[in-house]
Amino acid sequence: MHKPPDEDASSRRTNATRLTRRQWLAGTAGLIAALPLSVAAQGQARSARPLNLVVPFVPGGPVDLAGRVLAEYLGQELGQTVVVVNKGGAGGNIGAEEVARSAPDGSTLLLALDSILTVNPYFYAKGGEQAVPALAHIGLVGELSSVLVVNAKSPIQNAADFLAYGRRNTMTAGSGGNATAGHLYAEQLKRDFGVQLTHVPYKGLSPAVQDLLAGNIDCIVALIPGVLPHIRAGSLRPLGLTAARPQVMLTGVQPLSEQGLTGFAGASWLALMAPRGLPSDVEQRLSSGLSAVLRDPRVIERLQAAGIDPFYADATAVRKRIKDESAQWSALMSQMKLSPQS
């Protein structure tokens, strides 16, 4: 039995409407489902892009060791791979300049030693002046104290002996080179406390330490890791720390400022930097990540083992240190009449 024509037409119209709705719903559902996948894919692409952490010194020193610890844990915190890139030369200026020229997108960072920001602009004819203004401050990583040491056979037993002996006799103070922390601290001792010191620069700290061990010079102010093995071996005697904070690696050694050298306090420090012009959300993400990493007990332990006293301070604190210490060291170098290096 055949259906009436009008019934067949009505059935066809109903079926067509149902099919159109199914197609529209299926297409819309597919579009909606595709949106979060697209966003997630973009996020994965961003996370997959490695972040380069430039360490502006050769491998093996405390700055390099700190960089490798930060790369590992900052990478975990940010959810992306962080690669350490060593770019040594010109007291750190070469690496700093490279970062300053990089795109300000958060993919290239600098682990800066304070001297790059506070000493080099006044010591190098080119480099420091160009790099410092082009860098943004993410946060402070921590401090590296220096220690005043003499040969274990020296008659100088403590800081008081050092002051008394140095005011009566001319002593030689070695360092890893002109305008290094050891050189500047020695000049500060000479200027502020009347100690008669003749600076002897070396090409690096190791030959200076060897000459101190051989008895060819009288003292060195050096970063703790550079002399710690000889202190532990009993061949060098520590007299006092430059930093005001106690140091885990030398728990029995007091700051010089607490041993009669009132006002003598200072420490090298490390800061995480980026090219200037970084978007505020990227800067905040990096700053928060760094702060979290520096609260991790594993990071604290490993940095302390490298001679670094780790603690976080924000960009404002970094800017203040740069301003204050630039004024301090530029005034000292002006008095020293130290020739700029090209």
Side-chain angles (χ1 to χ4, degrees):
M1 181 176 174
H2 295 287
K3 294 180 181 179
D6 58 341
E7 186 177 342
D8 288 341
S10 175
S11 177
R12 285 195 299 272
R13 281 195 301 271
T14 301
N15 290 338
T17 301
R18 286 174 180 168
L19 180 60
T20 302
R21 285 175 179 170
R22 282 199 300 270
Q23 290 172 332
W24 180 84
L25 289 171
T28 303
L31 180 61
I32 292 171
L35 286 175
L37 288 175
S38 184
V39 171
Q42 289 174 9
Q44 289 171 1
R46 282 196 298 268
S47 298
R49 182 179 62 173
L51 188 160
N52 290 327
L53 177 60
V54 175
V55 173
F57 299 98
V58 297
V63 182
D64 176 63
L65 294 175
R68 294 181 188 281
V69 174
L70 284 181
E72 178 181 348
Y73 288 92
L74 189 60
Q76 293 175 14
E77 184 68 26
L78 299 177
Q80 65 187 117
T81 302
V82 179
V83 179
V84 173
V85 180
N86 293 92
K87 289 283 182 181
N93 281 354
I94 291 176
E97 288 177 352
E98 179 168 309
V99 173
R101 291 192 299 266
S102 300
D105 57 6
S107 64
T108 305
L109 302 177
L110 172 72
L111 183 58
L113 185 64
D114 63 312
S115 57
I116 297 172
L117 311 167
T118 63
V119 174
N120 289 5
Y122 309 99
F123 182 61
Y124 288 87
K126 293 183 294 184
E129 310 97 316
Q130 299 166 10
V132 173
L135 292 170
H137 317 98
I138 303 302
L140 194 72
V141 173
E143 292 183 343
L144 300 87
S145 179
S146 293
V147 58
L148 173 62
V149 292
V150 295
N151 191 298
K153 297 177 182 177
S154 169
I156 299 171
Q157 299 293 317
N158 50 47
D161 285 351
F162 178 82
L163 283 176
Y165 185 87
R167 286 167 176 167
R168 295 193 310 265
N169 306 277
T170 299
M171 293 190 292
T172 48
S175 81
N178 285 329
T180 59
H183 179 201
L184 296 179
Y185 285 133
E187 294 292 340
Q188 196 173 0
L189 288 169
K190 180 178 176 180
R191 182 192 68 181
D192 296 346
F193 300 96
V195 179
Q196 301 178 62
L197 289 173
T198 299
H199 177 235
V200 183
Y202 292 82
K203 293 183 177 179
L205 182 62
S206 292
V209 172
Q210 292 305 312
D211 256 10
L212 181 61
L213 291 168
N216 296 327
I217 56 176
D218 296 306
C219 64
I220 290 176
V221 185
L223 291 175
I224 292 174
V227 291
L228 185 62
H230 304 290
I231 292 174
R232 288 176 172 169
S235 51
L236 293 180
R237 177 181 300 128
L239 303 182
L241 303 168
T242 61
R245 293 164 61 99
Q247 301 296 304
V248 170
M249 301 180 82
L250 288 175
T251 53
V253 182
Q254 291 181 298
L256 290 167
S257 60
E258 297 177 7
Q259 300 185 71
L261 285 81
T262 305
F264 185 85
S268 299
W269 45 269
L270 297 172
L272 193 62
M273 315 289 284
R276 182 162 290 182
L278 206 63
S280 58
D281 61 327
V282 175
E283 185 174 339
Q284 180 57 46
R285 176 172 174 262
L286 292 170
S287 179
S288 298
L290 178 63
S291 176
V293 164
L294 291 173
R295 293 194 301 269
D296 189 320
R298 298 168 298 174
V299 174
I300 293 170
E301 182 179 1
R302 289 180 62 182
L303 289 179
Q304 286 177 338
I308 296 160
D309 179 16
F311 59 91
Y312 172 80
D314 65 14
T316 301
V318 176
R319 281 191 289 270
K320 186 177 187 310
R321 291 193 77 147
I322 293 172
K323 180 181 178 181
D324 293 347
E325 294 178 25
S326 293
Q328 173 189 353
W329 296 129
S330 62
L332 179 62
M333 286 191 285
S334 177
Q335 293 171 10
M336 292 160 55
K337 294 183 171 45
L338 198 60
S339 299
Q341 207 166 284
S342 59

